[in-house]
C-alpha cells in the first residue's frame, strides 16, 4: 500500500470510530446500556484498527487486534499502559453484554465505558495527527 492509501485507510477507520462513539453516547442517553457498552467497545476497536493501518496490519479477529495493538503500541510505550486495562475492560463488558443473557450492566459502568472509549479515541487522534504531519 502506498503511504497516501495507508493514511486514507487510517482516516476512514478513525472516522468510523468517531461515528460509533457518538452512537454509544446516544444509546447511553436513551438508557440503552447494553447497546452503549457494545458501541463503546467498537469505537475503540475501530480506533485501534486505524492505528494498526499505519503498520500495514489488518485482521478481523478482535483478539488479534487487541493483542497486536497491545504488543506494538502499549508494551513499547507509544500508548500508556493504562490503555491496556481500559481496552480489556471495554472488551469484557461488551462481550458479557452481548452474549451473557443474565449479565446486567449498570449505568455507572456504561458511563465509564463511554468515558474510557472517548479518552482512548482522543489519544488515538493525537497519535494519528502526529503521524500525518511527520
Amino acid at each position: 500500500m502506498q503511504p497516501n492509501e495507508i493514511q486514507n485507510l487510517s482516516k476512514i477507520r478513525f472516522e468510523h470510530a468517531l461515528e460509533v462513539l457518538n452512537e454509544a453516547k446516544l444509546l447511553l442517553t436513551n438508557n440503552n446500556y447494553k447497546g452503549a457498552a457494545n458501541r463503546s467497545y467498537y469505537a475503540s476497536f475501530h480506533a485501534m484498527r486505524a492505528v494498526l493501518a499505519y503498520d500495514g496490519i489488518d485482521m478481523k479477529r478482535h483478539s488479534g487486534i487487541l493483542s497486536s495493538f497491545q504488543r506494538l503500541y502499549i508494551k513499547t510505550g507509544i500508548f500508556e499502559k493504562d490503555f491496556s486495562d481500559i481496552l480489556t475492560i471495554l472488551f469484557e463488558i461488551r462481550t458479557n453484554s452481548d452474549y451473557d443473557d443474565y449479565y446486567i450492566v449498570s449505568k455507572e459502568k456504561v458511563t465509564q465505558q463511554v468515558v474510557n472509549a472517548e479518552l482512548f479515541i482522543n489519544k488515538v487522534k493525537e497519535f494519528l495527527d502526529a503521524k500525518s504531519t511527520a
Side-chain angles (χ1 to χ4, degrees), residues 52 57 59 63-74:
L52 289 167
I57 299 169
M59 55 193 76
S63 58
I65 296 292
L66 280 166
S67 65
S68 293
F69 187 85
Q70 289 179 339
R71 186 180 74 252
L72 296 170
Y73 295 96
I74 293 175

Side-chain angles (χ1 to χ4, degrees), residues 23-24 27-28 32-41 110 113-114:
E23 292 169 8
L27 289 165
L28 177 60
N32 183 333
Y33 303 142
K34 285 187 175 194
N38 175 287
R39 302 322 285 159
S40 295
Y41 165 73
V110 173
Q113 291 284 93
V114 173

Side-chain angles (χ1 to χ4, degrees), residues 23-125:
E23 292 169 8
K25 291 176 180 180
L26 291 171
L27 289 165
L28 177 60
T29 299
N30 289 310
N31 300 318
N32 183 333
Y33 303 142
K34 285 187 175 194
N38 175 287
R39 302 322 285 159
S40 295
Y41 165 73
Y42 275 100
S44 300
F45 176 77
H46 293 299
M48 283 187 282
R49 289 185 72 222
V51 171
L52 289 167
Y54 268 99
D55 283 328
I57 299 169
D58 190 23
M59 55 193 76
K60 303 292 183 219
R61 295 190 53 111
H62 295 256
S63 58
I65 296 292
L66 280 166
S67 65
S68 293
F69 187 85
Q70 289 179 339
R71 186 180 74 252
L72 296 170
Y73 295 96
I74 293 175
K75 286 186 178 181
T76 59
I78 295 170
F79 283 79
E80 293 88 359
K81 184 175 177 351
D82 292 346
F83 287 112
S84 179
D85 295 334
I86 286 172
L87 293 168
T88 299
I89 292 168
L90 282 163
F91 177 74
E92 288 174 359
I93 291 177
R94 190 281 305 187
T95 302
N96 290 335
S97 292
D98 284 354
Y99 299 110
D100 184 343
D101 295 329
Y102 297 102
Y103 183 77
I104 297 172
V105 63
S106 68
K107 180 179 183 177
E108 292 76 24
K109 271 191 178 177
V110 173
T111 300
Q112 190 60 53
Q113 291 284 93
V114 173
V115 167
N116 286 341
E118 187 165 28
L119 179 69
F120 179 66
I121 286 172
N122 287 338
K123 188 57 81 170
V124 166
K125 182 176 182 350

